Amino acid sequence: MASLNFDHSSIFNNNPLDPEEFRRQGHVMIDFLADYYLNVEKYPVLSQVEPGYLRQRLPESTPYNPEPMETILQDVQEHIIPGLTHWQSPNFFAYFQCTSSTAGFLGEMLSAGFNVVGFNWIASPAATELETIVVDWLGEMLELPKSFLFSGNGGGVLQGTTCEAILCTLVAARDQMLSKIGRDNMRKLVVYGSDQTHIAFQKAAKIAGIHPNNVRAIKTTKSTSFALSPDFLQSEMCKDIEAGLVPLFLCATVGTTSTTAVDPVGALCHVAKDYGMWVHVDGAYAGSACICPEFRHFMDGVEGANSFSLNAHKWFLTTLDCCCLWVKDPSALIKSLSTNPEYLRNKATDSRQVVDYKDWQITLSRKFRALKLWFVLRSYGVANLRNFLRSHVKMAKAFEELVAMDRRFEIVVPRNFAMVCFRVLTKAMGIAMRKPKQSHQNGNAENGHYKVAEEEEEGSSNEVNQKLLESINMSGRVFMTHAVVGNVYAIRFAVGATLVEERHVIMAWKVVQEHATAILIKHQLKASFE
């Protein structure tokens, strides 16, 4: 038989996990990232590339022979970094930040190094047990009722994102309700949120099989600072019950995405309780702030809820991904999400003395997320974590005061945490809306004209604010995003980057003023010729 000429040296001598080469390349990578953090504020915050840019720069196929790490990192510097929007930049004020920290990064690195798959207790006992400990630690910091903790009758789990947390709790609620009313009544189930509830709620409802016509997004108003009204909720539920439908699930929010509005958790739970609904409280962004005593009142009434979640990867120095979910009744999750194939059977599971986290989530496989959260909690402690959060709130308050000092702008909604919603006022454009002529034939005609004028004025204001935001972001100096609430286009200024300092906030305001001045002058010149 003819012998095959394999290059054995390339297979066996190039150990993909050689400890010494790992050590050398690891140092190179740490140095690369340290330099990146040192210089990150020098990059345009929002990437300036065009769609498809990367395919033009990289080879068409995989390299046949290995390339050194230094060559790959050179390509990262030249081709990848220009295509990044720099979420760790101190000039990033968009969305809600995805904070990082030395402790969070090193915990993630250690987790990746161990690379365990802790789907059940026996697969890595430490992974499971550390997770049960850290979720209780954080739950106690938040002053969650004992009923949400392992030290009580509840428990917590680290999921990937809020989308997963809402889906898991919604599925548990669905199955719990259907076991009472029969699975053939699936089409009668109704879920409730507000028009400010995160889109993850609607996505979860879709995946869980809730009929699209049975997903309620209850209107909010400026009079309640865009929080969900318990009266509106009850009214909507009564209509559904009269129509033969079954209220199932309410998603209340502490810190909405658009404006950081806070739903009245206690009052909403009181309404839902009368109908046997599952209440989930989404604290993805603002939940972290509630470890500070002065913000804890925003969670008041959570004892009436069935579940609560927050994203530690948003505002808690823990790298993506890490969503903390607490439930009062873990058995509800387990009944809906458990799978018990023969190949996973073991004595520990059969003893019912351990937690198997595969039955608390969508997927089977799971990361050792508890390590990075444990590193963060231990490395910074409660006092420093509170100070970190307070520093961002203080900077947001300073920005809010700067906005208030400039009469061309207004604050759109009250600030609750570390985000300011603002806009340029129509009057700053120097446009006088013409008063409609008096009508003697129809007393309502004048009011109608005024309404049209107001709508035109608001539309013009929204257009100017949209152009202002686009101009600011294309400058590359800062990055912000927007929201539309009550038909008003508002610019969102969210303070939360780990590296942000007061000087970055002051600079951001100067950028806003500069671009506002340019936009308004251009708008006034245009109006003068019309």
Side-chain angles (χ1 to χ4, degrees):
M1 180 181 290
S3 62
L4 298 174
N5 296 319
F6 284 115
D7 182 1
H8 293 283
S9 63
S10 65
I11 298 175
F12 297 109
N13 292 342
N14 258 343
N15 183 348
L17 199 54
D18 177 73
E20 290 307 316
E21 187 59 20
F22 176 79
R23 189 190 314 277
R24 186 191 72 80
Q25 292 191 26
H27 281 294
V28 171
M29 185 65 75
I30 292 292
D31 286 342
F32 182 88
L33 284 171
D35 288 339
Y36 171 74
Y37 291 138
L38 193 62
N39 297 297
V40 66
E41 67 179 284
K42 298 176 183 177
Y43 295 113
V45 190
L46 182 64
S47 177
Q48 308 291 303
V49 301
E50 296 293 329
Y53 89 100
L54 193 57
R55 190 170 291 276
Q56 299 173 16
R57 296 191 182 195
L58 297 185
E60 292 184 359
S61 58
T62 308
Y64 184 76
N65 293 312
E67 296 179 288
M69 177 62 64
E70 290 78 3
T71 300
I72 299 171
L73 284 180
Q74 186 62 40
D75 281 349
V76 171
Q77 185 67 53
E78 294 178 3
H79 305 310
I80 302 301
I81 286 181
L84 294 181
T85 290
H86 298 280
W87 285 68
Q88 301 310 311
S89 171
N91 299 314
F92 184 103
F93 301 102
Y95 309 116
F96 288 130
Q97 282 78 358
C98 187
T99 54
S100 189
S101 64
T102 300
F105 175 85
L106 295 179
E108 182 75 62
M109 186 169 124
L110 192 61
S111 173
F114 289 150
N115 203 29
V116 301
V117 188
F119 44 72
N120 59 13
W121 181 87
I122 200 172
S124 268
T128 295
E129 296 199 11
L130 184 60
E131 188 159 334
T132 65
I133 291 167
V134 295
V135 291
D136 266 14
W137 280 10
L138 183 52
E140 289 168 0
M141 290 167 63
L142 291 162
E143 296 183 15
L144 282 176
K146 201 84 167 174
S147 55
F148 281 99
L149 309 181
F150 281 107
S151 55
N153 296 315
V157 56
L158 300 180
Q159 306 255 5
T161 65
T162 296
C163 297
E164 296 168 46
I166 295 176
L167 176 57
C168 288
T169 53
L170 178 53
V171 166
R174 177 199 68 190
D175 292 350
Q176 200 173 61
M177 182 64 76
L178 291 178
S179 69
K180 298 174 184 176
I181 66 174
R183 300 199 73 84
D184 55 342
N185 287 308
M186 177 71 188
R187 290 177 66 88
K188 294 182 180 180
L189 301 181
V190 187
V191 297
Y192 303 84
S194 80
D195 56 4
Q196 301 301 307
T197 304
H198 195 275
I199 194 65
F201 171 61
Q202 293 186 26
K203 190 170 188 177
K206 185 176 183 179
I207 297 171
I210 304 300
H211 194 282
N213 293 340
N214 292 353
V215 180
R216 304 284 179 261
I218 300 170
K219 184 176 177 58
T220 58
T221 63
K222 190 170 184 178
S223 64
T224 61
S225 298
F226 300 102
L228 175 57
S229 162
D231 291 338
F232 286 5
L233 172 65
Q234 184 148 30
S235 174
E236 198 72 29
M237 290 167 63
C238 287
K239 291 177 188 175
D240 288 331
I241 290 169
E242 288 175 8
L245 301 174
V246 179
L248 170 69
F249 187 95
L250 167 66
C251 185
T253 308
V254 176
T256 60
T257 300
S258 293
T259 64
T260 71
V262 177
D263 292 336
V265 175
L268 292 171
C269 286
H270 181 73
V271 171
K273 183 179 179 182
D274 293 337
Y275 300 90
M277 291 173 63
W278 184 299
V279 180
H280 178 74
V281 179
D282 171 17
Y285 161 69
S288 298
C290 295
I291 69 166
C292 301
E294 64 269 31
F295 297 117
R296 176 57 179 80
H297 68 92
F298 287 115
M299 282 174 55
D300 284 355
V302 71
E303 63 274 6
N306 300 79
S307 52
F308 174 81
S309 64
L310 67 80
N311 287 348
H313 60 247
K314 270 192 169 68
W315 201 13
F316 208 69
L317 296 174
T318 308
T319 52
L320 193 72
D321 53 10
C322 189
C323 173
C324 309
L325 168 67
W326 292 268
V327 291
K328 278 184 176 177
D329 182 11
S331 68
L333 280 184
I334 294 167
K335 286 175 184 175
S336 292
L337 302 172
S338 65
T339 50
N340 298 293
E342 180 62 32
Y343 54 80
L344 292 182
R345 287 197 62 186
N346 62 86
K347 289 182 179 178
T349 296
D350 290 344
S351 75
R352 297 181 182 271
Q353 300 299 308
V354 298
V355 172
D356 286 344
Y357 271 127
K358 68 180 179 62
D359 300 329
W360 294 54
Q361 61 179 31
I362 299 166
T363 61
L364 174 64
S365 299
R366 64 195 323 271
K367 296 168 65 177
F368 193 174
R369 295 187 183 98
L371 263 181
K372 58 188 174 185
L373 184 54
W374 188 51
F375 268 49
V376 167
L377 294 176
R378 291 190 63 185
S379 296
Y380 305 123
V382 177
N384 283 329
L385 288 167
R386 285 175 175 169
N387 289 337
F388 171 75
L389 295 160
R390 287 166 176 156
S391 71
H392 289 163
V393 174
K394 182 179 179 182
M395 284 185 266
K397 186 177 180 181
F399 185 87
E400 181 182 41
E401 291 169 353
L402 290 171
V403 174
M405 289 169 59
D406 191 328
R407 294 184 178 180
R408 299 176 300 172
F409 294 86
E410 74 166 351
I411 304 296
V412 176
V413 292
R415 178 192 54 79
N416 287 324
F417 303 100
M419 190 182 78
V420 180
C421 291
F422 69 100
R423 68 167 180 162
V424 170
L425 288 166
T426 304
K427 64 182 180 183
M429 303 174 202
I431 303 171
M433 301 303 296
R434 288 188 294 271
K435 182 178 179 180
K437 294 179 181 179
Q438 178 69 41
S439 171
H440 298 287
Q441 296 179 344
N442 188 345
N444 293 323
E446 184 175 353
N447 291 334
H449 283 302
Y450 273 125
K451 185 176 181 181
V452 170
E454 287 172 1
E455 289 175 354
E456 290 176 350
E457 183 177 1
E458 197 61 71
S460 180
S461 178
N462 286 350
E463 181 185 349
V464 169
N465 279 283
Q466 183 176 355
K467 288 180 179 177
L468 171 60
L469 180 60
E470 290 171 356
S471 176
I472 290 168
N473 288 340
M474 289 311 297
S475 74
R477 295 165 68 188
V478 294
F479 180 35
M480 306 175 200
T481 47
H482 77 282
V484 176
V485 286
N487 296 321
V488 171
Y489 186 102
I491 300 174
R492 299 167 70 260
F493 184 82
V495 181
T498 308
L499 298 172
V500 69
E501 299 173 9
E502 188 174 352
R503 63 185 176 89
H504 299 108
V505 172
I506 294 171
M507 185 276 289
W509 175 239
K510 289 180 179 177
V511 171
V512 170
Q513 287 184 307
E514 290 170 10
H515 285 264
T517 298
I519 291 284
L520 292 175
I521 289 174
K522 184 177 179 181
H523 200 92
Q524 288 167 356
L525 286 172
K526 180 183 176 182
S528 66
F529 289 103
E530 292 178 350

